[in-house]
Amino acid sequence: MKNIAVIGAGTMGNGIAHVIAQNGYKTNLIDISPEALDKGLLTIEKNLDRMVAKELITEDVKKSTLGNIATYTILADGVKKVDLVIEAATENTALKLKIFRELDAICEPTTILATNTSSISITQIAAATKRADKVIGMHFMNPVPIMQLVEIIRGYSTSNEVTKTIMDLSMALGKTPTEVNDYPGFVANRILMPMINEAIETLYHKVAGVSEIDTVMKLGMAHPMGPLQLADFIGLDVCLSILNVMYDGFKNPKYAPCPLLVNMVTAGKLGIKSGEGFYDYSESRKSEKVSKQFN
């Protein structure tokens, strides 16, 4: 495996491209928006600069990493003759199915198609193609350059050969791949999202305030970040989307999103990405200032 394409230059996409390019692979970063590509490349460069400053990598590694990345706005050009495509577009089922139908039509028959989805069925995505044996989930964690885990999700028809190839690639990227089966939310979000949702329910029912809930979980459970702050970091819209996938998939009321979460997303309070969620980020992305609506 030498040439890899990444679809989507947002937070996850540019992080995945960063890690792949840093490990010596030719990396095609694809997005329909030239502005998103510019922003993604700038983010990668800033993250590399931080690594150089901390003496985690050399200036030469930074230069070679950036040199390994090519950008494309046309999907067919970006996936030409690549060994693997990793889709990291918005967590939207219809969009992902559309992308995979297009990929199946334009990619080489041997190309493996992976998705970074955090909850959507790999089997459903694979069914949109004629190469279900070559479709697999690669769920990276955010921030990708730092977090070690990659959830490797086999669809119903994913082959053993493809699974081994992706497990080996993940290890070559310095990650720890963990194989899981294809059920809504997989493992990470099946456990994480109900906890976040319960934290929001706890706030909704006025059991405690935002900082108090997060403090209990940080100091009492040794979590590095409280669940409400983590929800802001992930994006409240993403949390809602994942909960809806699990609720629809399991038909179990324990996965039903809290009304407060639904209202916040409807109001555009999405966390860091919008500048406000449970905390106010108008002054800093690292702010722990509680949003005024919860004071």
Side-chain angles (χ1 to χ4, degrees):
M1 190 165 290
K2 297 178 181 178
N3 303 304
I4 299 174
V6 179
I7 299 174
T11 300
M12 296 305 296
N14 71 59
I16 294 167
H18 171 165
V19 169
I20 291 170
Q22 188 178 321
N23 283 278
Y25 296 90
K26 295 298 181 183
T27 308
N28 295 347
L29 183 58
I30 307 165
D31 201 294
I32 58 173
S33 165
E35 293 78 17
L37 286 170
D38 290 342
K39 185 177 178 181
L41 284 177
L42 183 60
T43 298
I44 293 171
E45 187 167 6
K46 286 181 177 178
N47 287 336
L48 288 168
D49 284 337
R50 289 192 193 98
M51 296 174 79
V52 171
K54 294 178 180 178
E55 299 185 348
L56 297 173
I57 61 170
T58 64
E59 187 69 31
D60 286 343
V61 170
K62 173 194 167 182
K63 289 179 181 177
S64 66
T65 299
L66 293 173
N68 282 333
I69 301 173
T71 59
Y72 296 85
T73 55
I74 299 174
L75 185 64
D77 293 342
V79 301
K80 190 178 296 182
K81 295 183 179 179
V82 299
D83 304 300
L84 168 68
V85 179
I86 303 174
E87 171 272 319
T90 304
E91 192 74 352
N92 177 287
T93 302
L95 175 61
K96 290 184 187 296
L97 294 179
K98 178 178 181 293
I99 290 171
F100 272 77
R101 289 189 194 99
E102 293 179 13
L103 290 174
D104 189 46
I106 60 181
C107 288
E108 298 289 331
T110 55
T111 301
I112 297 171
L113 306 181
T115 174
N116 182 58
T117 181
S118 55
S119 62
I120 299 169
S121 168
I122 307 305
T123 302
Q124 182 182 8
I125 292 172
T129 76
K130 296 177 181 177
R131 62 179 85 194
D133 60 318
K134 294 183 177 66
V135 177
I136 195 165
M138 290 184 78
H139 179 208
F140 289 82
M141 303 294 127
N142 185 27
V144 180
I146 296 172
M147 301 294 280
Q148 289 298 301
L149 176 68
V150 183
E151 261 189 319
I152 306 299
I153 308 103
R154 295 183 64 144
Y156 186 83
S157 301
T158 307
S159 71
N160 290 334
E161 180 184 3
V162 165
T163 301
K164 184 180 185 306
T165 297
I166 297 304
M167 294 284 282
D168 290 346
L169 171 67
S170 300
M171 287 186 279
L173 296 176
K175 302 301 184 184
T176 301
T178 302
E179 183 181 335
V180 306
N181 290 319
D182 186 21
Y183 291 95
F186 315 133
V187 171
N189 282 316
R190 184 170 179 171
I191 295 170
L192 174 63
M193 286 302 154
M195 183 192 74
I196 287 176
N197 198 44
E198 194 62 31
I200 299 171
E201 286 277 3
T202 303
L203 177 65
Y204 180 55
H205 290 286
K206 300 183 175 10
V207 178
V210 171
S211 61
E212 288 77 11
I213 291 168
D214 279 354
T215 296
V216 167
M217 297 306 291
K218 285 189 288 185
L219 300 186
M221 313 304 165
H223 290 192
M225 187 182 293
L228 299 176
Q229 186 180 25
L230 179 57
D232 277 355
F233 186 77
I234 294 169
L236 301 191
D237 54 337
V238 176
C239 293
L240 178 59
S241 174
I242 295 169
L243 284 164
N244 280 330
V245 166
M246 293 196 295
Y247 185 46
D248 292 342
F250 291 117
K251 302 296 187 291
N252 188 324
K254 76 176 182 179
Y255 298 113
C258 176
L260 174 59
L261 174 61
V262 175
N263 283 345
M264 290 179 71
V265 172
T266 302
K269 307 297 184 182
L270 308 180
I272 288 177
K273 70 174 75 176
S274 69
E276 184 181 358
F278 295 106
Y279 294 88
D280 182 346
Y281 303 96
S282 57
E283 296 178 3
S284 169
R285 287 174 57 88
K286 296 181 180 180
S287 172
E288 292 191 10
K289 177 184 175 183
V290 175
S291 176
K292 63 181 179 181
Q293 67 177 317
F294 299 117
N295 285 328

